[in-house]
Amino acid sequence: MSKKIFSGVQPTGNLHLGNYIGAIKNFVDLQNNKDNSCIFCVVDLHAITVIQDPIELKNNIRETAAAFIASGIDPKNSIIFNQSLVPAHSEGSWILGCVARMGWLNRMTQFKEKAGKDKEKASVGLYIYPVLMASDILLYDATHVPVGDDQKQHLELCRDIAQKFNNEYKCKDFLTPPEPLIQKHFSRIMSLKNGTKKMSKSDIAEGSRINLTDTEDEIVKKIKKAKTDNDTLPGNEEGLKGRPEAENLIGIYSSLSNQNVADTLNEFGGKNFSDLKNKLSEIIVTKLSPISKEIKKLLSDKNYIDQILEDGAAKAEGISSKKVKKIKEIVGF
Ligand code: AMP
Ligand code: TRP
């Protein structure tokens, strides 16, 4: 079945190995299936739900787009653009926000986590963030949305909004409730310093993550210093239980070498962490160095990146402005 894919990544800096394995690598695989049509959006409107430095934001928008392209998303096959260039996203968001219910948004765990204890001080944007996300998806009639498992609840909300809109306005099947595409394996890459914590751009420990822009030396050093335990590596998956650091390093190796965990454990069972770390550094360098070099090359020509985003935005606009026009007619404007 041909799939209409839409996904978004926030341009908030420090793209890392977790983003690559958990999201971008997956986008590339989806694009490479000729049956799919794909749209990948740099969601800058979502980024400002937390105040950003304007200069950094601009750089991060370009860097995220560069990371997409350097990883293998081809602007000739997929639409790549940043959200703020296409007004339909904001327009759609307002109308869909009038369909979404407070009770639904009040259940969103990401808001509760990000707002923290002092909810009164969180931005209104952070609260209605999932409505904008629904607008992103529904304006393109996306059928499948690749996301991390933390976004599952937002996709359920998107489905609820689509169904309520269709019911309230008696336009059966007009908005398409999308299916989430959540990776079964390697969907949570953990910190190199603590195997029970997700690898994250906001971790203050630089050694906890491999950035997509790290040099070979930095990669080798970080892997060398990655936390381990005192045992040799197990020969089967049962043996990974209660050993989060071993599980994480084995997972990263498996994902990058496109093999399953059982095969990796066959290779390293009974060996020391140092054996795994040598091979792991090698494969990370092999996979990420070309990406990192390409990101730097792309960023040295800002006009080129900006042109790709503008061309992508023109294509996105062509699709989404038509959908918003119909939405406006349906609601009575
Ligand atoms: P973020 O902007 O950090 O929320 O993440 C962008 C994308 O990368 C989302 O699809 C996340 O699910 C994915 N992602 C972020 N961190 C990780 C991680 N440590 N492991 C796997 N996927 C991740
Ligand atoms: N909320 C998503 C995240 O934080 C990013 C996002 C915005 C998105 N709009 C989207 C993802 C539409 C998929 C589809 O990761």
Side-chain angles (χ1 to χ4, degrees):
M1 188 190 95
S2 77
K3 298 187 176 117
K4 281 193 198 169
I5 310 281
F6 185 102
S7 196
V9 173
Q10 289 194 54
T12 37
N14 276 345
L15 281 170
H16 53 72
L17 189 61
N19 298 129
Y20 178 70
I21 294 177
I24 303 176
K25 182 171 179 279
N26 202 15
F27 296 172
V28 177
D29 293 341
L30 287 165
Q31 167 201 256
N32 290 345
N33 180 341
K34 293 279 170 278
D35 287 339
N36 298 336
S37 61
C38 299
I39 304 180
F40 300 112
C41 184
V42 179
V43 290
D44 49 8
L45 295 172
H46 279 108
I48 62 160
T49 51
V50 175
I51 304 268
Q52 303 287 323
D53 176 277
I55 296 174
E56 256 174 50
L57 178 61
K58 201 163 199 94
N59 288 334
N60 287 334
I61 292 168
R62 292 189 178 116
E63 189 174 312
T64 308
F68 282 175
I69 299 163
S71 303
I73 296 174
D74 181 350
K76 288 198 199 76
N77 296 330
S78 301
I79 297 178
I80 302 175
F81 72 108
N82 57 311
Q83 197 185 23
S84 64
L85 289 178
V86 180
H89 291 247
S90 309
E91 277 188 283
S93 181
W94 174 259
I95 299 172
L96 296 175
C98 297
V99 174
R101 304 289 97 181
M102 295 277 287
W104 300 353
L105 285 173
N106 286 339
R107 282 199 288 276
M108 295 296 115
T109 53
Q110 181 174 296
F111 175 76
K112 289 182 199 161
E113 275 164 25
K114 290 204 172 166
K117 286 203 189 76
D118 200 354
K119 273 207 287 236
E120 301 287 314
K121 287 221 171 102
S123 72
V124 175
L126 191 66
Y127 183 69
I128 57 171
Y129 175 117
V131 176
L132 176 60
M133 178 164 166
S135 173
D136 297 341
I137 298 166
L138 298 173
L139 291 183
Y140 298 92
D141 297 316
T143 58
H144 293 81
V145 180
V147 281
D149 57 1
D150 57 327
Q151 296 298 315
K152 204 171 159 193
Q153 200 184 29
H154 290 162
L155 276 193
E156 275 156 19
L157 182 92
C158 174
R159 294 174 58 84
D160 289 343
I161 292 176
Q163 272 148 359
K164 185 163 173 70
F165 185 94
N166 293 344
N167 287 340
E168 293 289 342
Y169 289 106
K170 303 189 177 46
C171 50
K172 197 169 174 283
D173 300 331
F174 172 68
L175 294 177
T176 309
E179 298 290 335
L181 284 179
I182 295 170
Q183 280 197 107
K184 278 197 203 72
H185 304 288
F186 321 123
S187 62
R188 278 168 73 83
I189 302 302
M190 310 312 271
S191 155
L192 298 178
K193 294 290 181 194
N194 176 351
T196 61
K197 226 172 100 183
K198 224 170 134 173
M199 184 179 285
S200 159
K201 62 186 153 210
S202 51
D203 197 320
I204 44 168
E206 181 57 35
S208 67
R209 68 181 158 263
I210 308 262
N211 298 309
L212 291 191
T213 48
D214 280 348
T215 62
E216 294 189 21
D217 278 356
E218 282 166 332
I219 293 173
V220 173
K221 266 193 210 130
K222 285 179 180 176
I223 294 298
K224 215 174 237 161
K225 289 198 183 149
K227 187 174 173 200
T228 59
D229 57 42
N230 295 325
D231 219 339
T232 54
L233 292 160
N236 56 45
E237 288 182 61
E238 190 62 25
L240 286 174
K241 288 218 172 103
R243 301 183 63 187
E245 284 79 22
E247 187 176 4
N248 189 38
L249 297 181
I250 291 280
I252 296 173
Y253 184 85
S254 307
S255 162
L256 293 180
S257 49
N258 291 319
Q259 67 183 18
N260 58 40
V261 170
D263 289 338
T264 304
L265 291 171
N266 252 339
E267 194 177 334
F268 291 102
K271 293 193 176 162
N272 294 320
F273 272 98
S274 56
D275 298 310
L276 171 62
K277 282 184 165 185
N278 288 338
K279 288 283 215 163
L280 184 60
S281 296
E282 232 172 74
I283 194 148
I284 299 177
V285 167
T286 310
K287 295 280 167 174
L288 291 198
S289 283
I291 296 177
S292 152
K293 284 187 190 127
E294 187 63 17
I295 292 176
K296 284 184 190 129
K297 195 174 129 203
L298 288 163
L299 288 177
S300 69
D301 187 353
K302 294 197 172 79
N303 292 337
Y304 177 73
I305 287 280
D306 291 352
Q307 195 57 54
I308 288 180
L309 290 171
E310 276 167 34
D311 292 348
K315 289 183 204 154
E317 168 102 42
I319 305 168
S320 55
S321 63
K322 284 195 197 99
K323 193 77 180 180
V324 155
K325 190 162 176 271
K326 281 195 209 137
I327 291 178
K328 286 178 167 173
E329 281 165 18
I330 289 173
V331 302
F333 293 153

